[in-house]
Amino acid sequence: MELLVDSYGRRIKSLRISITDKCNFRCTYCMPAEGLPWLKKAEILSYEEIERIARVAISIGIEQIRLTGGEPLVRRDIPDLVRQLRKIEGLRSLSLTTNGILLKQQAGALAEAGLTRINVSLDSLVREKFAKLTRRDQLARVLEGLEELERYPTIHPIKVNAVAIKDYSEEEVLDFVRLARRKAYVMRWIEFMPLDADQIWRKEDILTEAEYGPLVPITTGDPSETARRYTFSDGRGEVGFINPVSEPFCATCDRIRLTADGQLRTCLFATEETDLRAILRSNASDEDLAKAIRQAIWNKELKHYIGDKRFKRANRSMSMIGG
Ligand code: SAM
């Protein structure tokens, strides 16, 4: 089989699929308090359509799929989708990114359906701060969801992702570090990116890794690894930093994204999309779909230009893309 590569020679292996634009949180750095104009049901890809795109993408070289949103667990019967995707030959990894609020009820069904990796977004361990940021007073339920996950060792690792925001995240760094040492959670801080619907992002709000103390680096040799990973001198626990703004990893980016309404995006900050939904719904063949995916990948952007005069904000916020 030919490898999937773009015009800069990057090998593309990973597909992030947003299965809904809706979310039950209203994180201030992502969505306005009143939400966004949601997509209509007919605009959203059905599970059959998602499965078909995934199958075609895997047949031409995609190896990893991550389900995201919006909040993916608000869409009904997601274990059914997981089960269908799991069956596709050639899929090496199937993961989910969630805010965790519905995990207590759904972790068991997801594990049983064949989910093997998970990222839970959690920006604060302090109830009031969490409530203010997400505009939902639900920290306890997220922590319960994480505990529930621990009962299903086939879902591994359990990653906890926090957006690092200046004057917000600093005081809790050690609490998160302690959590990563006490529990089997891998902790990641991700820099705040200009993908918020309210356009509040300012470069000064990014909290960079330099603020944290020295740790022992972990190297895997995987060039597409986005996180700088560290363990502690006694080897217990892992933390990491994902620095798309201060240290862009575009040169080794192996990702593409499918939005809930079937648009293929080859960069988080893309200003153009490929309408796979229109192709799907025009009775096209799998070969036609494969051709469109290959073509979009070939045209993948060189880099995102944040901090450069050439930077243009994407026309969608993170929740509308699928983070
Ligand atoms: N609802 C799910 C969740 O909370 O993980 C999946 C979708 S959410 C858009 C995915 C991730 O994007 C979350 O970790 C969220 O914190 C992150 N995110 C949203 N807006 C962001 C921004 N402007 N900069 C950095 N990360 C952002």
Side-chain angles (χ1 to χ4, degrees), residues 123-126 129 168-177:
D123 299 326
S124 174
L125 296 166
V126 177
K129 278 179 71 182
Y168 179 88
S169 313
E170 294 90 331
E171 62 189 17
E172 287 192 67
V173 168
L174 286 179
D175 291 331
F176 275 116
V177 164

Side-chain angles (χ1 to χ4, degrees), residues 29-30 68-71 97-99 121 163 191-193 195 318 323:
Y29 54 69
C30 190
T68 181
E71 171 47 43
T97 298
T98 172
N99 63 27
S121 304
V163 178
E191 287 175 344
F192 181 29
M193 292 181 275
L195 283 166
M318 193 72 135

Side-chain angles (χ1 to χ4, degrees), residues 63-170:
E63 296 175 356
Q64 304 160 3
I65 288 186
R66 170 173 297 280
L67 300 176
T68 181
E71 171 47 43
L73 296 187
V74 302
R75 185 154 173 188
R76 235 192 289 162
D77 302 326
I78 173 168
D80 291 347
L81 177 65
V82 168
R83 205 169 291 111
Q84 284 308 109
L85 294 176
R86 222 25 292 165
K87 287 190 205 147
I88 305 175
E89 208 178 313
L91 180 65
R92 297 231 174 120
S93 161
L94 180 59
S95 53
L96 175 79
T97 298
T98 172
N99 63 27
I101 188 177
L102 295 172
L103 271 178
K104 188 161 165 66
Q105 299 94 303
Q106 300 201 29
L110 288 166
E112 190 265 321
L115 188 78
T116 49
R117 299 168 73 90
I118 199 157
N119 286 5
V120 179
S121 304
L122 175 57
D123 299 326
S124 174
L125 296 166
V126 177
R127 181 176 165 186
E128 293 73 24
K129 278 179 71 182
F130 179 95
K132 200 163 169 210
L133 188 89
T134 60
R135 301 188 178 107
R136 299 289 185 268
D137 187 7
Q138 298 286 359
L139 174 63
R141 275 179 76 187
V142 174
L143 293 176
E144 278 173 21
L146 273 166
E147 295 224 330
E148 178 70 15
L149 273 179
E150 292 173 46
R151 300 180 51 205
Y152 305 98
T154 51
I155 303 185
H156 178 83
I158 302 171
K159 287 192 188 163
V160 173
N161 288 343
V163 178
I165 305 173
K166 201 151 194 141
D167 299 328
Y168 179 88
S169 313
E170 294 90 331

Side-chain angles (χ1 to χ4, degrees), residues 15-27:
L15 170 63
R16 298 200 178 187
I17 304 179
S18 171
I19 63 168
T20 177
D21 59 327
K22 288 195 185 131
C23 190
N24 41 14
F25 281 11
R26 293 287 180 275
C27 299

